[in-house]
């Protein structure tokens, strides 16, 4: 189908405006196919740079353009805000909700790209004390918690309390954990140096811990060690083979390799240890023979469709495809492939004529500290990879992220913020509002009251914990 052709009568619904959903919508929009994209946020989020929002380098708008504006030029694409609550494969209908308004959207083809959330491995109560980093709300709340800890320490006369407030624990030494720990260290040791009267932020402890024995395991031993050395130079304390077994408001309980447990007093904790795919995958498994893995990812066919449902696709982080990592490129390429399958079937191709999805691994990059990153790039047509670290890798990270950031203005703004931060150590986005820090707690309480699960006792507890937040 050519981009100039118009409505085909074939209705496509896409769930999610992340990398997978947005790419699918752009591909179908270019071909003039009727699309309704439903997502629970009105923005597309560039998750790889969330840690920079959390640590005050860039503003949230720079990595979260409004989806309907990004897709405005595709006249056949509609964007709807709503939380998808139900996939009805039999009736071919998607049920979504915006506040009290429930919408049913029929489809002929469906592309699910609902991504993944944080996993606390069955300890969901950890979330209250150690937020993850998946959304803008998460990033702004973490920014508030990090900066709030310094402010509270400034007012404390108690050395033990000060130490607790100036101890930051990042749990999970994958790319997100490494980036967060590196940036909290830079904030403490450089940006905030000399800004307080009673405390010395450079005395802060920033601990990066993981139950595994290496930093950045997917990058291999050599790059993992380089990243660890770089982090230590930046002032991060690395604790490996250290499993977090409990968490509360004031600290973490850690189990070491020898089986012994210890406690670290720390008010500000960040969780970057695990992901769980969208629960929509479970709905598919309940309605079809498709399986989901332990992380809740849908085990799709080789054309990314659901077995027995050739026009229903799952792509990106919510799908499991052997050899495809849970990264932006996996979702982008999956979204584009599924959209092309839909276009081809509108043009008469049958599902058995589809070529299997094949993933092009373009490599991985992770920043560690200022001017420091690690890179692992496969060499085409060989089994070898090019591995390098340091300034060159950091420059590569910068360029790749600028290219993939959606929107020229956002690229320009991010470049300006980076230049400011890298050259002068200053950060222009250190604003924190009360709502950013307390809203989630308040919303949870309202929800508990609304569904009647909040007894006066738990309401009281919640009040106490919130007052403690406010007071401390
Ligand atoms: C902090 C962080 C750092 C990362 N760093 C990198 C990196 O450096 N390089 C890299 O390649 N990858 C990185 N990733 C991974 C990468 O961002 C993901 O692999 C990618 O976003 C997956 O795309 P997706 O489209 O599958 O899901 P997402 O981008 O997560 O999009 C999911 C979409 O679905 C919507 N949604 C979910 N549930 C519903 C529902 N029920 N109803 C309606 N809408 C719904 C969401 O609002 C969202 O729009 C990082 C991820 C995180 C969290």
């Amino acid at each position: 189908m050519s981009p100039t052709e118009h409505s085909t009568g074939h209705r496509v619904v896409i769930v999610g405006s992340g990398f997978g959903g947005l790419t699918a919508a752009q591909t179908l929009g270019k071909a003039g196919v009727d699309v309704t994209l439903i997502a629970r946020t009105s923005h597309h989020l560039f998750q790889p740079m969330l840690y920079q929002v959390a640590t005050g380098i860039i503003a949230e708008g720079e990595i979260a353009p409004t989806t309907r504006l990004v897709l405005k030029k595709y006249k056949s694409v509609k964007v709807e805000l709503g939380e998808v609550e139900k996939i009805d494969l039999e009736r071919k209908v998607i049920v979504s909700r915006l506040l009290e308004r429930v919408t049913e959207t029929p489809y002929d083809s469906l592309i699910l790209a609902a991504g993944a959330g944080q996993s606390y491995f069955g300890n969901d109560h950890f979330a209250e004390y150690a937020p993850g980093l998946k959304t803008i709300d998460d990033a702004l709340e973490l920014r508030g918690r990090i900066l709030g800890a310094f402010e509270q320490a400034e007012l404390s006369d108690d050395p033990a309390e000060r130490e607790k407030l100036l101890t930051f624990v990042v749990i999970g030494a994958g790319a997100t954990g490494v980036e967060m720990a590196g940036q909290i260290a830079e904030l403490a040791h450089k940006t905030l140096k000399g800004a307080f009267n009673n405390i010395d932020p450079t005395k802060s402890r920033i601990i990066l811990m993981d139950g595994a024995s290496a930093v950045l395991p997917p990058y291999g031993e050599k790059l993992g060690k380089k990243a660890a050395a770089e982090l230590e130079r930046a002032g991060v304390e690395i604790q490996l083979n250290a499993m977090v077994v409990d968490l509360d408001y004031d600290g973490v309980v850690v189990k070491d390799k020898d089986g012994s447990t210890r406690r670290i007093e720390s008010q500000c904790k960040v969780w970057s240890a695990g992901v769980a795919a969208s629960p929509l995958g479970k709905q598919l498994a309940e309605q079809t023979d498709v399986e989901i893995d332990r992380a809740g990812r849908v085990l799709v066919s080789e054309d990314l469709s659901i077995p027995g449902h050739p026009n229903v696709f799952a792509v990106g982080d919510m799908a499991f495809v052997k050899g495809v990592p849970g990264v932006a490129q996996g979702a982008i390429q999956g979204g584009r492939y599924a959209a092309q399958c839909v276009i081809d079937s509108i043009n008469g191709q049958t599902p058995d004529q589809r070529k299997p999805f094949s993933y092009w691994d373009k490599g991985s990059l992770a920043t560690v500290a200022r001017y420091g990153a690690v890179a692992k790039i496969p060499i085409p047509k060989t089994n070898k990879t090019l591995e390098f670290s340091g300034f060159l890798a950091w420059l590569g990270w910068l360029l790749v992220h600028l290219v993939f950031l959606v929107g020229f203005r956002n690229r320009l703004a991010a470049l300006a913020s980076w230049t400011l931060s890298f050259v002068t150590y200053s950060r222009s986005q250190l604003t924190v509002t009360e709502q950013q820090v307390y809203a989630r707690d308040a919303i949870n309480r309202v929800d508990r009251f609304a569904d009647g699960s909040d007894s006066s006792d738990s309401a009281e507890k919640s009040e106490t914990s919130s007052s403690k937040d406010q007071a401390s």
Side-chain angles (χ1 to χ4, degrees):
M1 196 185 312
S2 83
T4 50
E5 284 177 82
H6 288 296
S7 181
T8 56
H10 187 96
R11 299 156 305 174
V12 185
V13 171
I14 297 172
V15 178
S17 60
F19 288 105
L22 191 75
T23 308
Q26 287 168 324
T27 308
L28 290 162
K30 272 184 207 152
V33 177
D34 290 329
V35 173
T36 304
L37 181 147
I38 309 172
R40 63 152 77 109
T41 64
S42 58
H43 55 260
H44 160 74
L45 178 58
F46 194 88
Q47 288 176 345
M49 276 158 60
L50 265 178
Y51 78 94
Q52 298 198 358
V53 175
T55 54
I57 298 174
I58 54 173
E60 60 275 23
E62 290 170 33
I63 60 162
T66 304
T67 313
R68 66 173 64 257
L69 292 179
V70 177
L71 296 173
K72 191 172 95 173
K73 63 179 172 200
Y74 305 113
K75 296 301 168 210
S76 62
V77 178
K78 272 200 306 182
V79 176
E80 288 180 3
L81 184 62
E83 171 92 24
V84 170
E85 294 185 333
K86 192 173 169 204
I87 302 165
D88 189 334
L89 290 177
E90 205 180 315
R91 288 172 55 227
K92 290 191 165 189
V93 160
I94 292 298
V95 183
S96 59
R97 175 187 291 273
L98 177 61
L99 302 173
E100 297 308 310
R101 188 185 305 272
V102 175
T103 306
E104 290 205 347
T105 313
Y107 65 82
D108 299 304
S109 290
L110 174 64
I111 300 177
L112 294 164
Q118 210 71 59
S119 168
Y120 287 85
F121 307 115
N123 295 303
D124 289 352
H125 58 287
F126 286 5
E128 189 180 340
Y129 310 111
L133 187 61
K134 282 279 172 196
T135 63
I136 296 271
D137 283 335
D138 292 337
L140 294 177
E141 184 177 339
L142 278 172
R143 188 197 286 174
R145 286 187 183 217
I146 295 164
L147 294 169
F150 288 106
E151 294 298 340
Q152 292 165 56
E154 171 78 351
L155 299 178
S156 173
D157 294 325
D158 175 356
E161 189 190 29
R162 264 193 192 173
E163 197 179 320
K164 179 186 79 176
L165 288 163
L166 293 180
T167 299
F168 299 85
V169 180
V170 179
I171 303 142
T176 302
V178 163
E179 289 167 339
M180 274 304 288
Q183 284 309 316
I184 297 174
E186 192 176 300
L187 190 63
H189 296 300
K190 304 287 184 193
T191 310
L192 298 179
K193 186 178 174 183
F196 291 87
N197 301 98
N198 300 323
I199 57 160
D200 178 359
T202 67
K203 298 267 158 52
S204 304
R205 256 181 105 189
I206 295 100
I207 303 170
L208 174 65
M209 68 168 52
D210 202 301
S213 57
V215 165
L216 288 179
Y219 285 75
E221 199 185 334
K222 192 177 111 198
L223 288 180
K225 281 189 173 155
K226 288 209 162 159
E230 186 82 47
L231 282 169
E232 279 168 346
R233 261 197 302 279
V236 176
E237 189 181 320
I238 297 169
Q239 298 187 8
L240 299 172
N241 298 305
M243 186 78 82
V244 170
V245 288
D246 203 7
L247 263 177
D248 56 40
Y249 184 83
D250 294 310
V252 295
V253 179
V254 184
K255 188 172 177 185
D256 286 313
K257 207 177 175 183
D258 62 7
S260 61
T261 56
R262 60 195 161 92
R263 185 177 165 85
I264 301 173
E265 295 295 317
S266 160
Q267 184 170 302
C268 184
K269 283 95 47 188
V270 183
W271 188 267
S272 58
V275 290
S278 159
L280 293 179
K282 192 160 169 259
Q283 283 197 28
L284 292 179
E286 284 161 2
Q287 294 175 56
T288 67
D289 291 334
V290 79
E291 286 178 49
I292 50 173
D293 69 3
R294 279 175 55 195
R297 293 175 301 178
V298 182
L299 272 57
V300 289
S301 308
E302 54 182 19
D303 63 355
L304 307 187
S305 71
I306 308 303
H309 296 264
N311 287 340
V312 179
F313 302 86
V315 303
D317 280 5
M318 70 173 291
F320 172 82
V321 184
K322 203 164 171 243
V324 183
V327 295
Q329 273 301 323
I332 291 171
Q333 293 177 33
R336 191 178 298 130
Y337 171 90
Q340 193 56 51
C341 286
V342 173
I343 295 168
D344 290 344
S345 57
I346 294 171
N347 287 336
Q349 189 192 62
T350 55
D352 56 303
Q353 292 173 318
R354 287 175 191 161
K355 277 199 195 137
F357 171 65
S358 110
Y359 176 64
W360 175 18
D361 183 359
K362 296 183 178 173
S364 326
L365 290 155
T367 47
V368 181
R370 197 167 95 121
Y371 305 143
V374 290
K376 192 176 172 186
I377 317 287
I379 304 168
K381 296 183 185 149
T382 69
N383 283 333
K384 296 187 180 129
T385 53
L386 191 64
E387 295 183 0
F388 54 104
S389 58
F391 184 69
L392 202 63
W394 181 80
L395 215 56
W397 184 95
L398 226 68
L399 283 176
V400 167
H401 286 73
L402 266 190
V403 167
F404 281 97
L405 202 57
V406 175
F408 178 72
R409 275 186 64 167
N410 286 344
R411 287 188 200 122
L412 212 60
L415 194 60
S417 306
W418 286 349
T419 309
L420 183 77
S421 148
F422 298 141
V423 176
T424 68
Y425 284 118
S426 68
R427 297 176 185 220
S428 56
Q429 301 297 331
L430 294 175
T431 316
V432 177
T433 71
E434 215 177 346
Q435 281 190 21
Q436 285 169 5
V437 185
Y438 304 119
R440 186 185 335 234
D441 209 24
I443 291 168
N444 287 343
R445 277 158 55 202
V446 169
D447 282 350
R448 284 200 300 271
F449 274 117
D451 71 16
S453 64
D454 205 347
S455 66
S456 54
D457 178 41
S458 61
E460 215 170 88
K461 266 193 219 149
S462 185
E463 189 61 53
T464 315
S465 108
S466 187
S467 319
K468 192 173 175 184
D469 281 342
Q470 300 262 7
S472 56

